[in-house]
Every structure is written in structure tokens, then in C-alpha cells.
């Protein structure tokens, strides 16, 4: 998807985890995850060798631009000339597609979102990353390193690419007083019934869980992606109630921009880049991070455990998070860059301020998308949590 030269993050895939039966080891990248789940033993690269001449990449639209979309947008050609690694890109539309493609062993690296990364790690489809071989890794914001969606037991399984928060947007001429809480989209007596919008994905259940985590502490929710039976029921009940308020669920950002411009939607979830585009189109909107915080997303470049071109794969991962390339992707795509030095390289010198790239206190309030597992990702071992298959089934029921 494109709009004024910027590509947006793709819709989260509807997926089912298939993690049972994964073997484990004690070294070379093996480790234990939530609930003691084991990670298959996969060795990480010890040293870089000569490039193999090719790197096969799976990426979201807008992440690997070679000038063919816009001659001014190209962070591939220079890499190819410098390394001799020809970049072959497969654009994927969903996280499920990325996982399936990585299982074929035909691709070297992938720009995985948080709902795919754990599946790839526990499925043995990606290798642990030796960050000593990636010079630009040292300049990645600390807030993106060694997180639950991109590492196990402190071992990185990828290179952070960028991040963003799921915000609350509203029309300033209609929604008064200005909202400060997610209660604005969950209030059953809302005066904006029929004009509230929400993100169309099972992962949106986490938004309800986050709200309940802050407003109903008696439920004991510690992580919006780790919900036992009672917690899950509370979240899905809230979303079923909210369904009566929803005018439409959105997944296409251009349609959300149009809905806010026309007034068909006046309140609901959004991304910062969507708010920027709506404002540029003269829609009277503002977007805020509510008092409860928000869910969000952070993508990770990961290397296949079966990579045929691992040296070029490592060279690519180092390049794509280099200050200039990472700045180019962040501006084109509409996100905060992962490399802290990228902020000095953006064409728009306000880009990092707009997307809160250097504001760790802001992102401390963001719960990044993480694949829900039966083995609770909050560390609990005395209960079973609802996995993504259950989230998918529930979402279908909620929407009716």
C-alpha cells in the first residue's frame, strides 16, 4: 500500500501456532522460553565470510526499495554495489505468509513482526544472531534489544528495524471534551455510537486486555498478550460489548483516513502516520497516547536457520539498520527508526520527534505485539493461556 510515497505496515495475519514438538538443546542458540518451552538448537554464525553474491529477502511492502517505486527512494542499489550481494525481494502481505515462506528454506532474511517472530524462533526456522558481526547493532535503541518477541534467554534472534504505537485518534470538532483514556472507545453509553472504529485483527484483543489491566486490577492481567480463561473472557466480553458501538473495523489505512475526513468515523485506534496523513488532507484530527498506554509494533530482521547466503544475509541486516538506510525506511514507511543515529539522517528533521524515536519514556508505555502462546508469555506456569488460535476464533465471534 502506498500513499504520498509512504508505505504502511501490513495487517497482522490471522494465524495458528504450531509449536508443539520443538526439540531443544543446551547451546548454540538453544534456550527456554515461556513456560519452559524449548527452542530448537540452531548454531549462530561465528564469523563473516565472503558474500555469496545473492540475498533472498522476505519483507513488508516499503522495506526494501530499490528506486523502482520512486527514483529518490533507494537503499538497495548502493548495498549491491558495495557488497556484490544482489537483493531479491519477495513482498509478503501477512505474517502467516512470511512464516510459510521461511519454512521453505528458500529465503535468507525476513522482516518479521511480533506475531510471527516467536513462531519462527520456536519453529527452528530462524537462527540466533551474532550481534558482534553486525557493526550497526551497537547504535540500536536499547529499548528495542533483547525483548520477548526478538530474543530468548538474552540471546538475540534478530535485528530491530523500527517501531510505532497504536494511538487513539479523534475529530477535534466532534469529540468533546478531548479524550484522554481508552474508555472513550469502550463506554457503552458513548454518544459516538456508530462512529467509533477499531483495528480489524485478533491482536486487537490485547487493546481490550491492556485497558482492563489498568482499570480492573482485580483481574490480575500483567501482560495483555498473556490471558488465562477468566482474563480472556473479560477482554472478549468487553469487545463484544464494544461491537455495538463500532461503525466499521479498519485494516486499510487509506479507508481510515477517508472515514475521518468524511466524519463517518470520529474516534478510534490509529497509527501516527495515519494521523499525519489525515491532517495533511485537512481532517480536524488529533492522535494521543492514552493514560493507560497502548499496544504497538516493532519489526525485526531475522536470518533463516537454513540460509543459503548467510554472509550476504548478515551484510544486509547490518546495512538496513545503518543510519542512512534506516532513516530512509523510517520516513518512507512512517515509523520510528531503530538506529539512534538515523535521526540525524532524515530529510524531515522533525521526523524522529513526530514518531517519538528518542523518547524511551513514551515507548515504555507501549506493549509491542507479541504472539499469544498457551505457555503464558508473562512467565506464569500454573495456568494455561489462550494461544493465537483461540484469539482468532474469538475475534470471528466478536465481529459476528
Amino acid at each position: 500500500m502506498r500513499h504520498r510515497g509512504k508505505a504502511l505496515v501490513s495487517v497482522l495475519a490471522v494465524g495458528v501456532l504450531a509449536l508443539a514438538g520443538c526439540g531443544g538443546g543446551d547451546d548454540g542458540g538453544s534456550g527456554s522460553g515461556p513456560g519452559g518451552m524449548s527452542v530448537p538448537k540452531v548454531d549462530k554464525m561465528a564469523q563473516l565470510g565472503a558474500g555469496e553474491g545473492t540475498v533472498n529477502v522476505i519483507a513488508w511492502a516499503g522495506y526494501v526499495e530499490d528506486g523502482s517505486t520512486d527514483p529518490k527512494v533507494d537503499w538497495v542499489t548502493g548495498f549491491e554495489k558495495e557488497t556484490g550481494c544482489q537483493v531479491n525481494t519477495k513482498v509478503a502481505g501477512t505474517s502467516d505468509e512470511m512464516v510459510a515462506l521461511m519454512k521453505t528454506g528458500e529465503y535468507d532474511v525476513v522482516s518479521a513482526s511480533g506475531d510471527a517472530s516467536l513462531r519462527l524462533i520456536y519453529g527452528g526456522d530462524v537462527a540466533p544472531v551474532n550481534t558482534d558481526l553486525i557493526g550497526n547493532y551497537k547504535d540500536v535503541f536499547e529499548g528495542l534489544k533483547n525483548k520477548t518477541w526478538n530474543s530468548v534467554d538474552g540471546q538475540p534472534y534478530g535485528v530491530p528495524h523500527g517501531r510505532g504505537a497504536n494511538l487513539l485518534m479523534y475529530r477535534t470538532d466532534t469529540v468533546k471534551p478531548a479524550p484522554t483514556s481508552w474508555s472513550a472507545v469502550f463506554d457503552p453509553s458513548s454518544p459516538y455510537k456508530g462512529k467509533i472504529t477499531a483495528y480489524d485483527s485478533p491482536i486487537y484483543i490485547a487493546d481490550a486486555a491492556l485497558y482492563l489491566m489498568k482499570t480492573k486490577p482485580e483481574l490480575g492481567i500483567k501482560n495483555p498478550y498473556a490471558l488465562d480463561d477468566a482474563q480472556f473472557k473479560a477482554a472478549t466480553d468487553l469487545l463484544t460489548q464494544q461491537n455495538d458501538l463500532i461503525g466499521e473495523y479498519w485494516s486499510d489505512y487509506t479507508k481510515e483516513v477517508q472515514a475521518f475526513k468524511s466524519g463517518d468515523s470520529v474516534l478510534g485506534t490509529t497509527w501516527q502516520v495515519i494521523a499525519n496523513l489525515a491532517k495533511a488532507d485537512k481532517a480536524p484530527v488529533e492522535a494521543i497516547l492514552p493514560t493507560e498506554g497502548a499496544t504497538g509494533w516493532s519489526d525485526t530482521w531475522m536470518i533463516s536457520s537454513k540460509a543459503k547466503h548467510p554472509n550476504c544475509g548478515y551484510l544486509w541486516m547490518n546495512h538496513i539498520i545503518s543510519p542512512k538506510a534506516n532513516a530512509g525506511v523510517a520516513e518512507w514507511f512512517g515509523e520510528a527508526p531503530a538506529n539512534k543515529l538515523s535521526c540525524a539522517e532524515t530529510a524531515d528533521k522533525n521526523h524522529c520527534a513526530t514518531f517519538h524515536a528518542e523518547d524511551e519514556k513514551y515507548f515504555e508505555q507501549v506493549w509491542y505485539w507479541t504472539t499469544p502462546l498457551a505457555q503464558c508469555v508473562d512467565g506464569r506456569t500454573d495456568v494455561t493461556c489462550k494461544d493465537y488460535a483461540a484469539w482468532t476464533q474469538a475475534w470471528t465471534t466478536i465481529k459476528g
Side-chain angles (χ1 to χ4, degrees):
M1 298 184 293
R2 297 288 195 279
H3 190 284
R4 293 182 182 156
K6 293 188 177 182
L8 274 294
V9 68
S10 299
V11 179
L12 266 178
V14 173
V16 177
L17 289 171
L19 301 175
C22 293
D26 296 316
D27 55 14
S30 61
S32 61
M37 251 170 54
S38 59
V39 180
K41 179 182 177 180
V42 179
D43 292 330
K44 64 182 176 182
M45 184 176 284
Q47 61 183 22
L48 278 177
E52 301 86 358
T54 298
V55 61
N56 297 323
V57 178
I58 304 169
W60 294 120
Y63 271 13
V64 186
E65 292 293 326
D66 61 3
S68 57
T69 303
D70 183 331
K72 298 178 181 178
V73 181
D74 182 358
W75 42 86
V76 172
T77 303
F79 168 79
E80 291 177 333
K81 291 179 179 177
E82 180 182 342
T83 65
C85 300
Q86 177 70 37
V87 178
N88 302 315
T89 307
K90 168 70 174 178
V91 174
T94 69
S95 288
D96 275 0
E97 184 181 359
M98 286 185 173
V99 171
L101 289 170
M102 286 296 282
K103 287 185 178 299
T104 69
E106 298 175 8
Y107 298 89
D108 301 303
V109 292
V110 60
S111 63
S113 291
D115 67 319
S117 52
L118 288 182
R119 283 187 275 173
L120 293 169
I121 292 171
Y122 288 105
D125 300 307
V126 293
V129 171
N130 185 345
T131 57
D132 291 339
L133 305 181
I134 301 176
N136 288 310
Y137 186 81
K138 67 182 185 303
D139 296 317
V140 170
F141 287 107
E142 292 300 320
L144 290 173
K145 294 179 178 178
N146 294 325
K147 299 303 178 182
T148 54
W149 65 89
N150 61 24
S151 68
V152 175
D153 288 346
Q155 169 59 57
Y157 274 78
V159 177
H161 173 91
R163 56 181 167 176
N166 298 318
L167 304 174
L168 175 60
M169 185 161 70
Y170 64 98
R171 278 189 62 117
T172 57
D173 62 342
T174 305
V175 180
K176 296 179 179 180
T180 59
S181 164
W182 286 113
S183 62
V185 300
F186 292 121
D187 179 3
S189 60
S190 172
Y192 311 111
K193 180 178 180 178
K195 293 191 174 185
I196 294 175
T197 188
Y199 188 49
D200 189 2
S201 169
I203 208 69
Y204 182 64
I205 293 172
D207 290 57
L210 174 64
Y211 175 67
L212 293 172
M213 182 171 72
K214 299 295 186 178
T215 59
K216 291 195 174 182
E218 64 271 20
L219 288 170
I221 299 173
K222 303 300 182 185
N223 182 315
Y225 305 101
L227 305 177
D228 60 32
D229 287 346
Q231 295 165 344
F232 189 72
K233 184 178 186 303
T236 54
D237 283 351
L238 180 60
L239 291 173
T240 299
Q241 173 183 287
Q242 185 200 42
N243 179 258
D244 291 336
L245 306 174
I246 298 294
E248 65 176 351
Y249 294 95
W250 68 273
S251 57
D252 182 336
Y253 78 99
T254 60
K255 291 183 178 178
E256 190 186 27
V257 170
Q258 184 56 43
F260 271 85
K261 281 179 61 181
S262 67
D264 289 341
S265 293
V266 301
L267 185 67
T269 52
T270 196
W271 300 320
Q272 183 65 58
V273 67
I274 298 176
N276 295 347
L277 293 171
K279 285 184 178 182
D281 279 351
K282 309 302 182 185
V285 300
E286 289 293 341
I288 64 163
L289 184 73
T291 55
E292 298 89 0
T295 59
W297 44 270
S298 172
D299 295 338
T300 304
W301 285 101
M302 311 182 88
I303 190 160
S304 172
S305 56
K306 301 176 284 289
K308 295 181 175 64
H309 314 101
N311 293 295
C312 280
Y314 262 76
L315 291 171
W316 172 258
M317 289 192 297
N318 186 56
H319 168 73
I320 200 62
I321 63 163
S322 64
K324 196 168 186 64
N326 199 228
V329 180
E331 284 197 276
W332 175 257
F333 191 78
E335 63 186 347
N339 190 320
K340 60 188 177 185
L341 301 183
S342 294
C343 291
E345 300 289 342
T346 56
D348 175 5
K349 296 310 175 185
N350 293 319
H351 179 85
C352 281
T354 299
F355 288 87
H356 303 276
E358 300 171 299
D359 188 352
E360 292 299 340
K361 288 189 178 299
Y362 177 90
F363 280 108
E364 285 173 2
Q365 303 173 72
V366 176
W367 289 82
Y368 297 98
W369 284 337
T370 304
T371 310
L373 306 176
Q375 292 83 359
C376 304
V377 296
D378 62 0
R380 284 181 292 169
T381 57
D382 57 337
V383 296
T384 298
C385 283
K386 294 292 189 179
D387 65 13
Y388 203 49
W391 285 47
T392 300
Q393 184 177 9
W395 185 245
T396 301
T397 301
I398 288 165
K399 290 178 62 181

